[in-house]
Amino acid sequence: MSRSLAVGTAGAAGGGAVPSGRRARELSAEAARLHEAARALLGDHTRALEAVRTAFAPLRAERVAEELDGIPVARLKDATEGRLRITAIEAAGFATVRAVHEARRHELRQVPGVGQQTADRALAAARQIASAVEETVAVRLDVDRPDPRTDALLAALYPLVEAGPELRRAVDAAVRLDERLGVLLPAARAAGSRMRLALSGRRRREAALAAVAGAGELLAESAARGVPLLLAQATADLLRAPVSELEARVDFEVRSAEYYGLLAEVFARGPGTGAAEGSLPAEVAERVRAQPLDDRYRRVSLRGYQAFGARFALAQRRVVLGDEMGLGKTVQAVAALAHLAAEGHSRFLVVCPASVLINWTREVGARSTLRALPVHGPDRREAYEEWRAHGGVAVTTYDTLHTLPAPDGAPPGMLVVDEAHYVKNPGTRRARAVAVWTGACERVLFLTGTPMENRVGEFRALVHQLRPELLPPAGQGSGAAGAGAFRAAIAPVYLRRNQKDVLTELPALVQVDAWEEPSPADREAYRAAVAEGNFMAMRRAAYADAEHSAKLRRLRELVREAAENGLKVVVFSYFREVLATVRDALGDGVVGAVSGEVPADRRQRLVDGFAAAGGHAVLLAQIEAGGTGLNLQAASVVILCEPQLKPTLEHQAVARAHRMGQVRTVQVHRLLAADTVDDRLLRILRNKDRLFDAYARRSEVAEATPDAIDISDASLARRIVEEEQQRLAAQPV
């Protein structure tokens, strides 16, 4: 089909007189075939969507019923602004809104004291509440509990997911063709016969010739853009033979984010506007919504909030995207780069930690048609010059950036700085190197889920690199005036969305503080570390004697339980020595250990092997290496060997597993030793978490005091050591 259309359009595009007679008939026939292909695709797509809706209906109805079952019948009174008398209905045993919603009219009218008007009002109020619940209820698909209804839904979604983002482009093209050819083809019929054309009135003749010319231009445009092939491929994808329940279930485990994203698209549902837009000021949100987003060079469909994030980066030009871990900041950045490439920009630069350089290279290649070029290692200069000459997305590391030539008069179309909290201290070499490029680039996108770890000043430093005019000098307002003023000041540059607000399909996150009573050997090691004033030794004292370690005993129990259930486990610790002890204790079940000493490419291979392992497996990770940039959603059990000095480290680590794409409930077990440094750390760190909530977690006004957390890791350690020395000195040995 595409070949014949291409041949036919060559003549139409070649200029000269408007075709009539035989040539007009040929053009009309080709246009009719293209129109038929477009209409056929739209029909197939409509049937595929209807199959999804049909399969989804019983699952949604069940969830709505569960929600209504938890709403007391008294809420019906609220829905009628107090006009409904429900005493008699309650007395008759209708305890929940679900009971009323599922009742028939005659059942309610048989209740003593309930007349026709009361029954009708009660049913109308129940329907109103049910409708509201239906709009917001989240349906989670549990792969560990096979259900015929879930299998039917996955099978219905499979062809749409398999077709990928190209299907959306094909459908959009088909809609445009249907609209235009539906008008042009009837008008062009008169031009198919010279005699009929000659006998037509002047106005009809001109309309017919214009329609033929329009059809020819449309055919040429469609052929140039590959539309016939696009339609044919999309139709073939939708007409694939049905897959087995097992195939659909396995595919869902691998690509659950695509399945859930498609569900949200089918039902035009998702997080509320405020959640997706981070509660930005109205004028900023309006400007962002008006920003177009070209998907020509993109290979991935975006969730609504992700599309908004990409538009935010484009509209506001120099921004911090502070989405919580697991929401797809990388995808949003790639979408922005793809849009700029469609506008004619040819070069882009990504700066990231070495641990995620390979992941960035993969993501750019998988999510777009842009060429990713690693600029790292001994060949970095050659790679840099190739990027300068031929374009693409250069991906380099913080430690490499300062060795590259400074930007010249043609800076990249966008600079993306991943894990941007790495440059929170403007005095460091990496921050200075990044500042050189941010100063040269018109568009800069900082990505970080933790813009503030210890002080408000860290957050200020990031914003200052992008828009220094937004914040006065420290102590003259903004942060010093409280979280509300600070948030208002940085509104044009900062966007954050949280998982619980936009990923309603995420499975549960179960967090357990596993307190263990230290063994005598644990206590002895701990006392020795305190006496030495060695803070780090105090933190790892619970693992000093592996044979008698209470924490290690509990860790083995958790791993054994996970193995019995076929679950994958990731174990985090700050200390390589602790991970080595854990590895010796667990033996063959460990697939590897990710640490700062492991090269970035080796880290990714370890994660890939962990994900590919059939059934149970254990991956060990040093929390500062494995908690950044790596996707660990294959794990559904997370074990934290000790509390961290920064709560953001723990949040990052947990979010590596509890993120978009996770299909199982994630269990997080934090191992804690009673009456030790663990206890002291938790109390102090709660204040850090509270300040992060006030200043960075929410893109809206909140109140706090900026110096409430003005404490460095070193001073925190000294404080705890001194407290423990005093406490233990007062205890009998």
Side-chain angles (χ1 to χ4, degrees):
M1 179 176 66
S2 60
R3 181 177 299 174
S4 66
L5 286 174
V7 171
T9 55
V18 176
S20 61
R22 179 180 175 184
R23 183 60 188 141
R25 288 196 299 274
E26 290 174 349
L27 278 175
S28 295
E30 292 174 14
R33 287 195 294 272
L34 183 60
H35 190 208
E36 181 183 351
R39 290 174 63 87
L41 172 60
L42 293 176
D44 293 336
H45 186 243
T46 298
R47 284 186 287 275
L49 295 182
E50 189 56 38
V52 171
R53 293 188 182 100
T54 300
F56 185 69
L59 291 169
R60 180 171 58 184
E62 180 182 61
R63 285 289 295 117
V64 169
E66 291 173 356
E67 290 291 317
L68 294 179
D69 211 27
I71 302 176
V73 74
R75 293 298 300 275
L76 295 178
K77 196 171 183 179
D78 299 335
T80 60
E81 297 181 349
R83 293 192 300 271
L84 178 63
R85 296 179 179 178
I86 61 169
T87 305
I89 295 175
E90 284 183 294
F94 292 89
T96 67
V97 173
R98 176 181 180 178
V100 175
H101 185 253
E102 295 178 351
R104 297 186 179 277
R105 187 183 183 197
H106 73 272
E107 290 181 66
L108 292 178
R109 292 187 62 184
Q110 289 174 0
V111 174
V114 175
Q116 177 179 338
Q117 186 180 48
T118 300
D120 289 347
R121 282 184 175 177
L123 288 172
R127 284 193 295 269
Q128 181 182 344
I129 293 176
S131 178
V133 169
E134 188 175 281
E135 287 297 314
T136 58
V137 72
V139 175
R140 297 187 179 95
L141 308 179
D142 191 344
V143 295
D144 291 325
R145 296 180 180 177
D147 180 306
R149 297 171 303 174
T150 300
D151 290 338
L153 177 59
L154 294 179
L157 286 167
Y158 179 83
L160 293 166
V161 172
E162 186 67 14
E166 293 297 318
L167 176 60
R168 172 45 55 197
R169 296 192 189 94
V171 169
D172 289 344
V175 169
R176 289 192 295 270
L177 287 172
D178 187 34
E179 290 174 349
R180 295 181 65 183
L181 290 176
V183 174
L184 291 172
L185 286 174
R189 286 197 188 102
S193 166
R194 294 185 185 277
M195 181 175 294
R196 189 187 311 156
L197 190 64
L199 295 175
S200 300
R202 182 174 62 84
R203 188 169 294 178
R204 187 180 176 192
R205 183 166 57 249
E206 290 176 352
L209 293 174
V212 171
E217 291 173 1
L218 187 57
L219 286 169
E221 177 191 336
S222 297
R225 297 180 61 184
V227 171
L229 183 61
L230 185 66
L231 298 181
Q233 183 60 58
T235 297
D237 286 334
L238 291 178
L239 297 179
R240 290 175 184 272
V243 296
S244 69
E245 295 174 354
L246 179 60
E247 285 179 282
R249 207 178 301 143
V250 169
D251 192 63
F252 171 69
E253 286 200 55
V254 175
R255 298 191 288 181
S256 65
E258 284 87 344
Y259 279 79
Y260 279 122
L262 187 56
L263 265 181
E265 184 179 326
V266 169
F267 292 96
R269 296 168 58 200
T273 302
E277 298 180 356
S279 299
L280 288 173
E283 66 276 10
V284 176
E286 185 176 347
R287 184 162 57 250
V288 173
R289 286 193 293 267
Q291 166 68 45
L293 187 61
D294 196 311
D295 66 354
R296 201 177 321 165
Y297 298 127
R298 180 163 31 95
R299 286 176 172 161
V300 61
S301 297
L302 301 180
R303 307 290 284 270
Y305 76 87
Q306 291 175 329
F308 186 86
R311 287 187 169 95
F312 177 76
L314 294 166
Q316 298 300 96
R317 294 180 175 265
R318 300 170 69 84
V319 301
V320 178
L321 182 59
D323 284 350
E324 191 172 14
M325 297 292 170
L327 295 185
K329 291 189 289 294
T330 302
V331 169
Q332 295 174 66
V334 171
L337 299 182
H339 172 89
L340 292 172
E343 286 191 340
H345 295 274
S346 61
R347 290 188 295 148
F348 309 97
L349 177 62
V350 174
V351 183
C352 62
S355 61
V356 295
L357 183 139
I358 292 176
N359 188 61
W360 261 101
T361 305
R362 287 183 176 185
E363 287 291 289
V364 170
R367 310 296 187 181
S368 74
T369 60
L370 306 180
R371 183 180 71 133
L373 189 65
V375 179
H376 183 56
D379 299 326
R380 60 185 180 275
R381 285 300 183 102
E382 291 82 354
Y384 179 82
E385 293 304 326
E386 182 182 344
W387 171 68
R388 289 284 307 278
H390 302 293
V393 182
V395 185
T396 192
T397 67
Y398 286 107
D399 291 334
T400 301
L401 185 64
H402 78 278
T403 69
L404 301 178
D408 56 15
M414 177 175 274
L415 168 67
V416 179
V417 181
D418 192 20
E419 305 292 351
H421 51 276
Y422 276 46
V423 295
K424 64 189 179 186
N425 184 347
T428 61
R429 186 176 67 183
R430 64 175 57 155
R432 291 196 300 270
V434 168
V436 169
W437 285 85
T438 58
C441 295
E442 181 183 353
R443 292 182 177 87
V444 182
L445 175 56
F446 279 6
L447 305 177
T448 173
T450 55
M452 185 183 73
E453 293 184 298
N454 288 319
R455 302 181 182 86
V456 178
E458 298 169 356
F459 201 169
R460 291 177 56 89
L462 294 181
V463 174
H464 190 268
Q465 284 207 42
L466 301 174
R467 299 279 301 275
E469 76 279 6
L470 293 180
L471 294 175
Q476 296 183 17
S478 62
F486 183 80
R487 179 65 200 104
I490 66 170
V493 77
Y494 179 63
L495 175 66
R496 180 181 177 89
R497 282 76 56 89
N498 298 303
Q499 281 189 358
K500 64 182 180 61
D501 298 324
V502 296
L503 284 190
T504 56
E505 78 275 5
L506 264 185
L509 178 67
V510 179
Q511 302 194 64
V512 179
D513 281 353
W515 287 98
E516 302 297 323
E517 187 65 30
S519 69
D522 293 337
R523 292 192 183 281
E524 183 178 345
Y526 183 70
R527 281 183 171 275
V530 172
E532 294 173 5
N534 188 333
F535 180 65
M536 291 305 186
M538 289 163 58
R539 294 182 63 202
R540 60 178 184 266
Y543 301 92
D545 186 336
E547 187 177 351
H548 302 98
S549 168
K551 279 192 179 183
L552 200 55
R553 182 182 64 249
R554 179 58 177 151
L555 188 150
R556 280 194 292 257
E557 292 172 356
L558 292 170
V559 171
R560 185 164 54 249
E561 183 179 339
E564 291 170 356
N565 291 289
L567 303 178
K568 288 184 169 67
V569 182
V570 59
V571 179
F572 286 107
S573 176
Y574 182 84
F575 304 100
R576 285 196 297 270
E577 299 95 321
V578 170
L579 293 179
T581 300
V582 171
R583 183 165 198 161
D584 291 342
L586 296 181
D588 296 337
V590 177
V591 299
V594 175
S595 72
E597 292 183 335
V598 177
D601 57 344
R602 171 66 178 155
R603 294 184 201 179
Q604 189 61 54
R605 287 199 298 272
L606 284 172
V607 173
D608 292 344
F610 174 66
H616 171 70
V618 179
L619 179 70
L620 309 181
Q622 197 172 7
I623 200 163
E624 288 195 313
T628 301
L630 300 177
N631 296 333
L632 300 171
Q633 62 261 44
S636 53
V637 178
V638 177
I639 300 175
L640 302 168
C641 289
E642 72 284 319
Q644 304 305 309
L645 293 180
K646 299 172 182 175
T648 51
L649 270 182
E650 290 191 8
H651 297 329
Q652 286 176 329
V654 172
R656 293 298 154 205
H658 192 247
R659 62 191 295 117
M660 190 188 308
Q662 179 59 262
V663 295
R664 292 182 171 85
T665 296
V666 176
Q667 307 170 35
V668 180
H669 300 270
R670 182 197 267 165
L671 301 181
L672 302 164
D675 206 27
T676 68
V677 62
D678 294 355
D679 207 356
R680 289 356 176 228
L681 269 176
L682 290 187
R683 287 205 302 270
I684 293 172
L685 295 181
R686 287 191 189 104
N687 291 329
K688 285 192 174 186
D689 238 353
R690 280 196 291 271
L691 191 71
F692 185 89
D693 286 342
Y695 279 86
R697 190 177 303 283
R698 298 164 56 208
S699 291
E700 62 184 13
V701 175
E703 294 299 330
T705 303
D707 59 358
I709 197 170
D710 195 5
I711 179 171
S712 68
D713 292 347
S715 62
L716 175 63
R718 285 194 300 272
R719 172 179 165 184
I720 292 176
V721 167
E722 290 169 0
E723 287 180 355
E724 285 297 273
Q725 287 176 336
Q726 293 171 8
R727 184 180 66 84
L728 293 183
Q731 289 182 354
V733 180

